Amino acid sequence: MTRRLKKKYRRFLNLFLTAAVLLLAGALFLFIPKPPDEEMERTRVSIGEARKLISPDFVPPTLTEAEILYDSAMRIWKQENEKFIFSRNYKSIINLCTTASQLAVASPKLADQAASSFIDILGDDIKTLKADTTEIGLLYRRLPALVEINGKYTQGVLLLKEAELNLEQKKYKESRKKLDEAKNYVGQVTQHVRFLLNNYFSKVPQWQQQASQTIRQSSTNQSYAIIVDKFATECYLYKNGRLSKTFKAELGKNWIGDKQFAGDKATPEGLYKITRKKQGGQTKYYKALLLNYPNDEDKKRFKEAIRNQSIPSSSQIGGLIEIHGGGGKGIHWTDGCVALENRDMDMLYRLVPVGCPVLIVGSLHSLDEVQKKARP
Amino acid sequence: MKMKLLSGIVLMSLALVFSSCQKYPQAEVDQANAAIEAARVAEADVYAADEFTALKDSLAMVINSVEKEKSKLFSNYKEELTKLTSTVEMATSVAEKAQTKKVEMKEEATAILTELVTIIDQNTKMIAKAPRGKEGKAALELIQNELTSVQTGMEEASAKLESGDVFNGINQAKAIKEKAVSIHTELVEVLTKARIKLPF
């Protein structure tokens, strides 16, 4: 009986111990810390989504920070996984993931704000520089050949095109870089051209006054008068104070500014008179109307320039300034004369007498008016 | 006797369970990382940027999965090993795609530059034929000046292509071509107006 009881007791004990071991093993599973895989995955997805939405040019510091936090979390997770299974602690990883996720989720909006204002400004700047380049190009191409600034203008145009291409390819930072370089080149050209034109156009009120006076005299004397607008490259014929004809005119190749001395290829500015009418073998330019250049004012200015040493002391004042034929070449090419197309010259030659006043001015219109007219 | 047998079974089962824990796939992870680095070296981040981002994200997902397995009492990396192999294959494919794209872009740029050589050559010939009178000299000087800028730009674009900066090289070549074509048009106009036969 005692032996049977002992055996029963031993069996019960064994069963109990086995059950206890299994229960303990089961209980131990419950104590294994839960790995932070869900948090890590959520963070990875958030960062991945943000990366997809954000242009590499506008990655905000928040996304960079989120990525750093994610990497730290991963490093800690690896470290913790090296420890004994029950002593692992994933709490800090979860905290890092929470912060990283929040930062990643907030990033696209921040990037969007920065990007949209950057892209808007970039687009506007490209449009503005394009318009400026076209405008300055139109003005600058009308000026005498400025070889020294031509290279800069070309460089500016090329860089502007590159900036446009970069914008199309969504390479915003590169586009901005090219645009700034283009701006620099075009800016130098603009500065140069503006300086030249502002100086040139500063005399417009005086020229307008001279033109009014000439037209008035034509009206009073019931006679012809010629006015040449150098910037407009036009020659106007007035009869009895009224505009009768307009001809296209070509000038000296350094036409901008007043004539200083012989050989400077500039067309003089001032009030002159026709002193002689030439045709046939008297001129090589079809027909010509010789002007009384230099007049008294030209002589006075020339002497002053020699005295001021603004021109070489060996300079001559020059002469033989005419309105002649042979024009229609589409460029300024004379040595300082005004060239008209032969058929226009025929008409002018026939109508105007010796003694007819000829006013040559830089422009009859202000720079603003000229620019507005030039805009496409 | 029965108890000894039972204990033996439990111990053997435990041994079997523990022995089923796989080794961390460090070599495969390293291989995947190396493949991604190789893709980066192949400029996948420039010429296949979207695919490269997806590739990096894909590896991050697999690493997550690997660590998740490692966190378990009984790790099994079978699925992760397959994914790591796929990542390596994907990296190789992305690197190839980037290289193909780069080669295509370089070919396009080279074609533009070749075309430019012809245009510049024609421009030079036309300048030589253009009217040399006093009326044309200044205008030709300007055009020649622009042509010099175009030639300098072409050399720069060519150097960029040679150094591997295909993105900037192709853009510069495109910009230069536009300018060279406009000079060409201008010169054709000048020669036609002057009734001079085009020298090409």
Side-chain angles (χ1 to χ4, degrees), chain B:
Chain B
M1 183 63 191
K2 265 187 186 172
M3 278 318 294
K4 274 183 186 167
L5 191 69
L6 191 67
S7 304
I9 289 168
V10 168
L11 280 172
M12 275 184 71
S13 305
L14 282 173
L16 191 73
V17 165
F18 279 107
S19 69
S20 72
C21 282
Q22 281 185 334
K23 199 182 146 208
Y24 185 87
Q26 189 58 55
E28 287 77 5
V29 169
D30 289 346
Q31 210 180 340
N33 273 318
I36 286 182
E37 179 57 18
R40 199 193 56 77
V41 170
E43 294 174 281
D45 54 340
V46 181
Y47 298 100
D50 290 346
E51 290 87 343
F52 186 69
T53 307
L55 177 70
K56 283 202 300 184
D57 192 45
S58 165
L59 180 66
M61 189 176 71
V62 182
I63 302 282
N64 255 3
S65 193
V66 168
E67 288 305 320
K68 183 184 168 186
E69 281 304 314
K70 199 181 176 188
S71 301
K72 290 177 182 172
L73 187 59
F74 311 120
S75 313
N76 181 357
Y77 299 111
K78 198 180 165 192
E79 208 179 304
E80 283 68 30
L81 281 168
T82 314
K83 283 179 186 169
L84 283 166
T85 311
S86 298
T87 306
V88 172
E89 283 165 8
M90 191 177 159
T92 312
S93 154
V94 169
E96 279 170 8
K97 193 175 175 186
Q99 280 301 291
T100 309
K101 174 85 180 160
K102 192 179 174 183
V103 168
E104 276 172 12
M105 283 177 75
K106 197 173 175 178
E107 278 171 3
E108 191 190 341
T110 309
I112 294 172
L113 289 179
T114 311
E115 214 181 324
L116 259 173
V117 170
T118 312
I119 298 169
I120 289 172
D121 182 54
Q122 290 182 352
N123 286 348
T124 311
K125 280 178 184 161
M126 283 196 283
I127 286 177
K129 281 261 182 180
R132 291 253 154 231
K134 66 176 180 180
E135 63 267 29
K137 205 180 156 207
L140 283 177
E141 209 178 329
L142 273 186
I143 295 175
Q144 180 60 60
N145 194 265
E146 286 179 355
L147 198 60
T148 308
S149 296
V150 164
Q151 278 170 316
T152 311
M154 199 178 109
E155 282 160 22
E156 280 173 16
S158 193
K160 278 178 188 164
L161 290 180
E162 281 308 308
S163 69
D165 185 6
V166 179
F167 247 116
N168 284 316
I170 195 167
N171 283 345
Q172 194 169 7
K174 280 178 183 171
I176 290 163
K177 190 187 162 189
E178 197 176 286
K179 184 71 196 167
V181 168
S182 81
I183 295 173
H184 195 274
T185 312
E186 199 177 344
L187 282 167
V188 167
E189 227 171 82
V190 169
L191 263 65
T192 311
K193 201 172 176 184
R195 290 180 186 155
I196 297 169
K197 199 182 162 209
L198 297 178
F200 50 86

Side-chain angles (χ1 to χ4, degrees), chain A residues 226 272-284 287-293 320-324 345 348-349 352-356 358:
Chain A
I226 296 169
Y272 303 99
K273 268 191 288 195
I274 296 172
T275 55
R276 197 180 149 200
K277 291 171 82 171
K278 300 197 277 186
Q279 63 177 325
Q282 294 167 312
T283 175
K284 59 175 177 174
K287 284 177 182 173
L289 302 167
L290 182 68
L291 306 185
N292 64 331
Y293 174 87
L320 214 66
I321 297 294
E322 301 171 335
I323 298 176
H324 59 58
M345 196 59 214
L348 193 67
Y349 191 88
V352 296
V354 168
C356 173
V358 177

Side-chain angles (χ1 to χ4, degrees), chain A residues 25-62:
Chain A
L28 280 176
F29 269 105
L30 292 177
F31 288 106
I32 294 174
K34 188 183 171 296
D37 56 297
E38 280 173 22
E39 289 81 359
M40 287 297 286
E41 184 58 13
R42 206 165 33 241
T43 310
R44 182 194 67 77
V45 170
S46 304
I47 291 172
E49 288 297 318
R51 271 278 169 203
K52 264 187 224 163
L53 293 170
I54 297 170
S55 155
D57 278 343
F58 301 109
V59 173
T62 45

Side-chain angles (χ1 to χ4, degrees), chain A residues 227-239:
Chain A
I227 298 177
V228 176
D229 182 332
K230 291 193 341 182
F231 204 84
T233 64
E234 283 180 338
C235 173
Y236 308 110
L237 176 66
Y238 282 88
K239 186 186 174 187

Side-chain angles (χ1 to χ4, degrees), chain A residues 34-324:
Chain A
K34 188 183 171 296
D37 56 297
E38 280 173 22
E39 289 81 359
M40 287 297 286
E41 184 58 13
R42 206 165 33 241
T43 310
R44 182 194 67 77
V45 170
S46 304
I47 291 172
E49 288 297 318
R51 271 278 169 203
K52 264 187 224 163
L53 293 170
I54 297 170
S55 155
D57 278 343
F58 301 109
V59 173
T62 45
L63 185 58
T64 313
E65 203 184 329
E67 286 172 328
I68 292 170
L69 293 178
Y70 178 81
D71 288 345
S72 301
M74 180 56 80
R75 206 172 44 247
I76 297 169
W77 193 8
K78 284 181 178 177
Q79 283 167 3
E80 289 299 319
N81 278 349
E82 294 303 319
K83 292 179 183 172
F84 180 59
I85 195 157
F86 297 109
S87 61
R88 292 172 190 170
N89 182 356
Y90 301 123
K91 207 176 163 189
S92 65
I93 297 171
I94 292 164
N95 288 339
L96 286 172
C97 283
T98 308
T99 313
S101 281
Q102 283 167 354
L103 288 170
V105 168
S107 292
K109 201 178 169 186
L110 291 171
D112 198 43
Q113 282 166 355
S116 61
S117 86
F118 186 93
I119 296 165
D120 287 350
I121 293 169
L122 179 67
D124 288 348
D125 281 0
I126 285 180
K127 261 188 214 160
T128 307
L129 188 64
K130 222 173 157 183
D132 287 353
T133 308
T134 310
E135 192 170 305
I136 208 70
L138 287 169
L139 285 174
Y140 137 80
R141 285 194 170 272
R142 290 175 67 176
L143 302 179
L146 301 164
V147 174
E148 70 272 23
I149 63 160
N150 186 46
K152 286 177 184 168
Y153 182 78
T154 310
Q155 200 66 25
V157 169
L158 292 176
L159 285 162
L160 178 60
K161 182 70 202 167
E162 281 188 64
E164 274 186 278
L165 289 170
N166 279 312
L167 181 66
E168 280 168 26
Q169 294 156 356
K170 297 182 178 174
K171 303 260 172 205
Y172 303 113
K173 293 274 163 80
E174 193 62 33
S175 174
R176 168 51 69 187
K177 199 179 131 200
K178 298 283 181 199
L179 182 67
D180 287 344
E181 284 177 51
K183 249 185 187 175
N184 183 29
Y185 281 114
V186 176
Q188 286 180 50
V189 176
T190 307
Q191 205 180 0
H192 190 106
V193 171
R194 290 252 173 256
F195 178 76
L196 206 70
L197 291 177
N198 285 338
N199 260 351
Y200 183 78
F201 279 88
S202 63
K203 286 190 198 158
V204 165
Q206 187 193 323
W207 290 329
Q208 284 172 336
Q209 200 184 352
Q210 284 179 314
S212 301
Q213 211 174 330
T214 305
I215 296 165
R216 225 175 12 249
Q217 273 176 7
S218 158
S219 172
T220 313
N221 301 339
Q222 292 290 290
S223 61
Y224 282 104
I226 296 169
I227 298 177
V228 176
D229 182 332
K230 291 193 341 182
F231 204 84
T233 64
E234 283 180 338
C235 173
Y236 308 110
L237 176 66
Y238 282 88
K239 186 186 174 187
N240 306 335
R242 282 172 177 260
L243 180 64
S244 164
K245 298 278 172 203
T246 301
F247 309 113
K248 281 311 284 179
E250 287 159 6
L251 309 165
K253 70 174 189 178
N254 285 333
W255 58 272
I256 201 155
D258 203 355
K259 188 165 187 65
Q260 305 273 317
F261 55 90
D264 65 1
K265 316 271 184 198
T267 300
E269 290 158 9
L271 184 60
Y272 303 99
K273 268 191 288 195
I274 296 172
T275 55
R276 197 180 149 200
K277 291 171 82 171
K278 300 197 277 186
Q279 63 177 325
Q282 294 167 312
T283 175
K284 59 175 177 174
Y285 297 112
Y286 186 60
K287 284 177 182 173
L289 302 167
L290 182 68
L291 306 185
N292 64 331
Y293 174 87
N295 62 19
D296 292 344
E297 248 182 70
D298 294 323
K299 286 174 191 163
K300 195 175 147 197
R301 200 170 41 240
F302 178 74
K303 275 182 193 164
E304 211 173 291
I306 292 277
R307 206 173 34 247
N308 295 342
Q309 294 180 323
S310 59
I311 57 171
S313 58
S314 59
S315 304
Q316 299 294 312
I317 193 164
L320 214 66
I321 297 294
E322 301 171 335
I323 298 176
H324 59 58

